[in-house]
């Protein structure tokens, strides 16, 4: 049975308004994780509840990156040569807005993206909760705050660019998170967010089977409520990229990092179809990248 709960029990203070009306939506069924998902009928946010008590260091450990845990992520060190194609393409797009300066990546992992940001003329900084990956990033000569974002001692009005690539959904206090993001950026600074768009047709059609319902994903956004949140905290402009903010060519080059044999190149048809679909029929997929200017 769904729990009888209040708004504050789910995500604390609402990042949009104080009139949240949380109702049980369903239990997700992707990969049989069976996560209880609630939806606010006022602002459209979704959230996992009860929020699991998490020892983050025990979750984001070596097993998480080497594929030995139930909830895992790839070890980017093995595919860095190929990931660089996407990182460089994204950085070239970012430089259309900000040419240089202090660059913070939240969820920096092993520091590959930040190493490329340094190559492109930025001064790199990272926040990474995993001690395992943070230590490796530090060995690259990158300043890393090995803690949770809200606990990191970050100077206000200091960063020219802040990126959160597939990270914002991991954080359970969105109002505090977005307010801090705004404070640490310089005036005219750029925030880059990549997450899933739960107003996209893919998420709406797959519902409880959508692949973004994962144990570490706590809050789920859409284009409209993400724009409202950013406007509420003070960002003066948002730019939406359906799909991603880089080219299909970069994506295809990156995909080669996971190929095992020549037949894997057939995946290029699927990748190309998804990418072009997201650009030609906006909202037909649920991938999105949003830029926000302070």
């Amino acid at each position: 049975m769904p729990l009888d709960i209040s708004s504050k029990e789910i995500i604390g203070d609402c990042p949009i308004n104080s009139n949240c009306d949380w109702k049980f939506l369903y239990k997700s069924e992707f990969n049989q994780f069976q996560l209880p998902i609630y939806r606010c009928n006022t602002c459209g946010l979704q959230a996992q509840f009860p929020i699991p008590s998490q020892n983050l260091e025990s979750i984001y450990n070596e097993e998480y990156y080497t594929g030995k845990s139930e909830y895992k992520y790839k070890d980017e060190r093995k595919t860095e040569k190929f990931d660089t194609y996407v990182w460089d393409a994204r950085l070239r797009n970012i430089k259309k807005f900000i040419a240089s300066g202090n660059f913070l990546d939240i969820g920096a992992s092993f520091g590959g993206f930040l190493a490329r940001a340094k190559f492109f003329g930025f001064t790199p900084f990272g926040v990474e909760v995993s001690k395992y990956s943070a230590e490796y990033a530090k060995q690259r000569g990158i300043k890393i705050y090995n803690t949770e974002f809200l606990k990191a001692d970050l100077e206000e009005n200091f960063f020219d660019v802040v990126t959160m690539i597939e990270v914002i959904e991991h954080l359970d206090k969105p109002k505090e998170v977005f307010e801090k993001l705004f404070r640490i950026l310089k005036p005219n600074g750029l925030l880059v967010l990549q997450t899933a768009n739960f107003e996209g047709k893919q998420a709406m059609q797959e519902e409880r089977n959508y692949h973004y319902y994962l144990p570490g994903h706590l809050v789920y956004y859409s284009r409209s409520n993400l724009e409202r949140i950013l406007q509420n905290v003070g960002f003066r402009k948002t730019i939406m990229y359906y799909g991603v903010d880089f080219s299909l060519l970069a994506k295809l080059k990156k995909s080669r990092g996971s190929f095992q044999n020549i037949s894997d190149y057939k995946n290029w048809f699927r990748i190309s179809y998804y990418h072009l679909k997201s650009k030609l029929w906006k909202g037909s997929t649920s991938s999105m990248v949003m830029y926000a200017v302070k």
Side-chain angles (χ1 to χ4, degrees), residues 157-170:
N157 298 303
F158 181 75
F159 297 103
D160 298 273
V161 180
V162 176
T163 57
M164 298 183 78
I165 310 304
E166 306 285 356
V167 170
I168 195 69
E169 63 276 359
H170 289 262

Side-chain angles (χ1 to χ4, degrees), residues 22-81:
W22 290 95
K23 301 294 183 184
F24 177 75
L25 184 60
Y26 44 56
K27 280 194 174 183
S28 72
E29 294 182 358
F30 173 72
N31 215 17
Q32 299 182 338
F33 280 125
Q34 292 284 307
L35 305 176
I37 305 298
Y38 285 71
R39 183 181 186 276
C40 173
N41 291 330
T42 304
C43 65
L45 279 176
Q46 293 185 31
Q48 183 188 153
F49 186 82
I51 294 171
S53 57
Q54 301 184 98
N55 180 337
L56 295 178
E57 180 59 36
S58 68
I59 294 175
Y60 302 110
N61 54 17
E62 183 174 357
E63 284 71 28
Y64 172 76
Y65 290 101
T66 55
K68 297 177 182 177
S69 65
E70 180 185 23
Y71 177 51
K72 53 187 179 290
Y73 188 72
K74 74 184 183 77
D75 186 338
E76 69 180 36
R77 294 171 297 180
K78 296 179 180 179
T79 58
E80 189 165 315
K81 171 185 173 182

Side-chain angles (χ1 to χ4, degrees), residues 89-289:
R90 171 164 278 149
L91 287 162
R92 283 191 289 270
N93 199 59
I94 288 172
K95 284 180 76 72
K96 295 176 183 178
F97 298 84
I98 305 288
S100 62
N102 296 328
F103 192 112
L104 177 68
D105 185 32
I106 302 167
S109 188
F110 297 99
F113 182 41
L114 285 172
R116 296 308 298 169
K118 183 177 181 179
F119 178 82
F120 274 76
F122 293 99
T123 302
F125 299 82
V127 173
E128 175 51 56
V129 71
S130 168
K131 182 178 180 181
Y132 175 70
S133 58
E135 288 301 317
Y136 187 90
K138 289 178 182 178
Q139 293 173 17
R140 296 177 182 259
I142 298 170
K143 169 67 174 178
I144 297 290
Y145 298 85
N146 182 202
T147 186
E148 300 173 42
F149 171 62
L150 286 177
K151 295 178 180 179
D153 185 16
L154 302 171
E155 187 174 344
E156 295 186 8
N157 298 303
F158 181 75
F159 297 103
D160 298 273
V161 180
V162 176
T163 57
M164 298 183 78
I165 310 304
E166 306 285 356
V167 170
I168 195 69
E169 63 276 359
H170 289 262
L171 308 181
D172 67 338
K173 298 177 181 178
K175 187 173 189 294
E176 294 180 38
V177 168
F178 283 101
E179 288 175 347
K180 183 169 182 175
L181 287 170
F182 186 80
R183 290 196 306 269
I184 64 176
L185 273 167
K186 292 180 182 178
N188 300 312
L190 179 70
L191 173 65
V192 177
L193 297 170
Q194 180 171 341
T195 191
N197 175 16
F198 274 73
E199 288 174 339
K201 289 183 180 178
Q202 181 184 11
M204 295 177 69
Q205 289 173 349
E206 295 184 16
E207 294 186 324
R208 69 186 69 216
N209 294 309
Y210 188 42
H211 70 271
Y212 221 69
Y213 290 125
L214 293 170
H217 291 183
L218 307 179
V219 183
Y220 305 92
Y221 297 87
S222 67
R223 172 184 179 169
S224 61
N225 58 42
L226 189 55
E227 285 180 333
R228 288 176 64 192
I229 292 168
L230 293 166
Q231 291 167 1
N232 280 1
V233 297
F235 286 93
R236 60 183 176 83
K237 181 181 180 181
T238 58
I239 302 98
M240 174 72 172
Y241 295 90
Y242 288 97
V244 288
D245 53 331
F246 47 81
S247 70
L248 172 59
L249 180 60
K251 188 183 290 188
L252 293 176
K253 287 181 176 180
K254 175 189 175 180
S255 69
R256 292 170 54 221
S258 62
F259 289 0
Q260 301 295 319
N261 53 60
I262 194 70
S263 65
D264 288 333
Y265 280 90
K266 292 186 295 184
N267 289 323
W268 276 8
F269 292 103
R270 175 184 55 81
I271 295 169
S272 298
Y273 172 74
Y274 186 90
H275 182 91
L276 294 172
K277 182 180 179 182
S278 70
K279 300 300 182 185
L280 295 175
W281 296 281
K282 300 185 189 312
S284 60
T285 68
S286 293
S287 299
M288 70 171 172
V289 178

